[in-house]
Amino acid sequence: MNINIKITEYSSHKELSSKDQELVAIAISQLKTSHSPYSNFSVGASVRLENDVIWGGSNQENSSYPVGICAERVVLSIASTQSKGHAVNTMVVVYTDPKGNHDSPLAPCGMCRQAIREQTLRQKKAMKIILTTKHGKTLILNNADDLLPLSFTLDK
Ligand code: THU
């Protein structure tokens, strides 16, 4: 078995379409809503749905650490509840680390990859994912499922 994953790299999100740049700007603006006093690692995420509605979210931590939730799952939950039934076409993820750095794109954690995968199974449509930084490098996967090959599902 071979698993091939296509990841397109850009030196800046300024090279993206205007719609994607708009979504990047919203993910960046979400960084200020991050509640991350424990890690000081802020993550912002945004999604554009098939009906062009945009939602944003950020990581929300808790003093009981495992209770915290990542930005990707926050924004997917918002989309799923506030825009029920509308497929997520594109997701953007950005971050700033505890030193305020954001040089290379964040790779979503395993739990978020599982959540993204399940969303694409529900919507039966691919979700583009844009992993970017405030000023720099951007990685794009046209199918976010590629982040989690051989994923777990209840249907075998
Ligand atoms: N975090 C995200 O929001 N998304 C990820 O994909 C990885 C990690 C958050 C969780 C926690 O609040 C902080 O980043 C440090 O792990």
Side-chain angles (χ1 to χ4, degrees), residues 35-36 39 41 43 59-61 69-72 106-109 112:
H35 178 66
S36 42
S39 70
F41 194 101
V43 185
N59 57 330
Q60 301 296 315
E61 297 183 349
I69 179 168
C70 296
E72 297 92 319
L106 174 151
C109 79
C112 288

Side-chain angles (χ1 to χ4, degrees), residues 2 11 19 24 28 42 50 79 104 128 140:
N2 286 310
S11 55
K19 274 182 126 184
V24 168
I28 291 171
S42 305
E50 60 189 350
S104 55
K128 176 162 87 173
I140 299 189

Side-chain angles (χ1 to χ4, degrees), residues 58-71:
S58 58
N59 57 330
Q60 301 296 315
E61 297 183 349
N62 191 281
S63 54
S64 176
Y65 294 169
V67 176
I69 179 168
C70 296

Side-chain angles (χ1 to χ4, degrees), residues 66-91:
V67 176
I69 179 168
C70 296
E72 297 92 319
R73 281 175 291 131
V74 167
V75 79
L76 282 182
S77 298
I78 293 170
S80 186
T81 51
Q82 302 302 303
S83 297
K84 185 172 163 60
H86 291 282
V88 177
N89 282 356
T90 310
M91 176 186 285

Side-chain angles (χ1 to χ4, degrees), residues 5-11 15-16 105 128-131 137-142:
I5 301 173
K6 187 175 172 212
I7 304 175
T8 311
E9 197 173 324
Y10 296 87
S11 55
E15 295 167 50
L16 308 183
K128 176 162 87 173
I129 187 160
I130 301 173
L131 307 171
K137 200 168 145 184
T138 299
L139 302 176
I140 299 189
L141 288 87
N142 283 324

